[in-house]
Structure formats: structure tokens, C-alpha cells
Amino acid sequence: MGSRAQQAEAVVLRSLRFGEADRILHLFTKELGRVGAIAKGARKTRSRFGARLEPFSHVEIQLHVGRGELATVTGVDLVRSHQALAADPYRLAVGSIGLEAVLKLFIDHDPSPRAFHALVRFLDLLDDGGQPDPSGPDPALDPLALSLQLKLLWLAGYLPHLSSCAACGREGPLTAFSARAGGAVCAACGEGALPASAAAFLGMRALLEQPLAGARPAGLGASARRETLAIVEAVYAEHGGFRLRTLARR
Ligand SMILES: [Zn+2]
């Protein structure tokens, strides 16, 4: 592959100090999927990139994509900084879950424009403030965070099967979740699986089918949200072999 210039719409997932003045970025772009990039001189006070490469920033970025693993940032225009969300600890924690889920679920140079749009919509809603979360102080149980993660699992091809028993096909009642079987299971197939209520399965389907903006008004109960989170984490472990640090922090 020769080197080339590439214009991309991107969200900054992670920004790490590198050397004297540079930054290494993990970007999620609409055009290329996840991309690693270096912004040379980004930490100099008079950098031409200014403060536009902070995590959560939605940018139009110019990249030089070469043979190496890292692209080089040659220019950046800010679309929206999302710094209102970053200034509030609760919304910062919810937003960080979204960024890490994207970082772990999608691989380099495998674009998913729908996942990109979902991430931008999620950050815009968080940045706007929106309805206060009725559930209390645990960001991991925030319905918006759960809704984004379920949609990302679907877009990444890990959609759990929720409408009938994933092991035997019976319609129900569904009483547990088996990440290995790939979804909800009935009592007969549920040995060793994660117990889960009908309310949790209904809630997960609603979060998957509704737009992100509907996640909070949907008012999923606290116990159904805890079950949903346990299921999402089980799918990460089974299919991705990872845990999210932002969820483990609790
Ligand atoms: Zn079954």
C-alpha cells in the first residue's frame, strides 16, 4: 500500500502523551473505522492543532496514511468538542464507557458508518444534558450507556438472540442468558447461565429498537438495568475476550 492523504470525520477515543510534544491518538473514523495516529507537536503551546484533539472531540481530520501502523495528522477542524459532558463527572463516566466500548469492539481499518453515527449521537445527547438519569449515581447503569452498547454489539455482529431460546428454539419462558449459546435461554437449557428476568429481556429489546434519544424516557427499572449490564459484560467476555475498564471501576 502506498502512502496517501485521507480526509476523515472522526471522534477522538483516546489521546496519549508521546515523547516531548506529540500525542498518539486512537480515532474512530466514519471512513476508515478505528485508526491510530500521531499528532506531532500537538502539546506545544502554539500547536496548529490547538485543543482540538481531546477525547470526545468530533473533528474533520486530515491524515497521511503511510506504510507504518500510525497515520500522521496533518490538519484538524473541530465539529463539536463535547467538553460540556467532560466537565461533569457523571456524564464524563457515561461518555467514557461509550468511547471504550467502541475502542474494544471495532478493529483498525474496518469502517462501520452506522456505529460512527451512533457514537456521535450518543455524545451529542450527553453533551446536551438531556433528561436527568432517574436511576441514581451509577454511570454503568445509565440507560443511554446501555442502549449504545447494545447497538454497538449488534453492529459488531455480536447481537444476542433475545426473542426465543438460543439453545433449543422454544419461545419461552426465557429465564436466563447464555453468552455461549448466544442469547436468552429457557429453564431447560439454562444450567450454568446467567439468571435474567422477562423484564430485562423486554428492556434490552426496547433499548435495541428505539433511537438512543428514547433510552432514558423508556424508564427501564434498576434491576432490569443491572441484569442488562451483566449480560452486556458476559457478551464482551465470551465473544471479545475483554472487560471494559470503565465498567470494572465500580
Ligand atoms: Zn431452551
Side-chain angles (χ1 to χ4, degrees):
M1 185 179 83
S3 63
R4 66 183 199 280
Q6 169 85 41
Q7 171 82 28
E9 195 178 342
V11 169
V12 180
L13 301 177
R14 212 172 254 185
S15 171
L16 309 165
R17 291 158 176 261
F18 184 75
E20 288 286 305
D22 304 340
R23 281 191 177 282
I24 301 279
L25 306 170
H26 293 279
L27 303 169
F28 192 56
T29 70
K30 187 168 77 181
E31 293 80 358
L32 303 169
R34 208 183 62 182
V35 175
I38 183 162
K40 289 182 178 151
R43 282 159 51 219
K44 289 183 180 154
T45 43
R46 295 170 74 187
S47 163
R48 65 207 154 108
F49 303 130
R52 283 163 285 180
L53 293 172
E54 298 298 319
F56 302 108
S57 289
H58 177 187
V59 294
E60 288 279 354
I61 200 161
Q62 291 88 50
L63 296 169
H64 185 85
V65 184
R67 262 172 255 251
E69 274 187 31
L70 293 174
T72 303
V73 180
T74 55
V76 54
D77 294 297
L78 192 62
V79 177
R80 182 163 174 178
S81 73
H82 298 118
Q83 291 311 298
L85 87 80
D88 173 69
Y90 178 85
R91 288 189 282 158
L92 174 67
V94 173
S96 300
I97 293 166
L99 295 190
E100 192 185 6
V102 168
L103 191 70
K104 294 273 174 66
L105 280 170
F106 295 90
I107 58 169
D108 281 0
H109 297 275
D110 185 14
S112 173
R114 295 178 71 189
F116 179 81
H117 287 300
L119 177 63
V120 166
R121 183 80 183 118
F122 166 78
L123 295 176
D124 286 351
L125 286 166
L126 264 183
D127 204 47
D128 289 339
Q131 292 90 353
D133 172 38
S135 63
D138 189 348
L141 296 178
D142 190 283
L144 190 58
L146 292 174
S147 181
L148 176 72
Q149 290 174 94
L150 289 169
K151 289 177 195 303
L152 293 177
L153 284 175
W154 181 64
L155 291 168
Y158 299 137
L159 172 68
H161 183 85
L162 300 173
S163 53
S164 58
C165 177
C168 74
R170 202 172 300 166
E171 267 186 38
L174 304 168
T175 58
F177 182 85
S178 165
R180 186 145 298 170
V185 289
C186 71
C189 303
E191 203 185 312
L194 207 59
S197 67
F201 290 133
L202 268 177
M204 285 176 68
R205 288 171 66 178
L207 288 178
L208 263 169
E209 286 158 16
Q210 281 170 349
L212 283 164
R216 285 177 175 174
L220 197 58
S223 70
R225 273 182 282 130
R226 265 191 292 277
E227 291 176 87
T228 300
L229 176 63
I231 288 168
V232 165
E233 292 196 281
V235 177
Y236 287 155
E238 176 71 23
H239 296 292
F242 60 78
R243 302 188 62 193
L244 297 194
R245 265 188 324 118
T246 47
L247 293 176
R249 208 187 276 161
R250 290 170 301 141

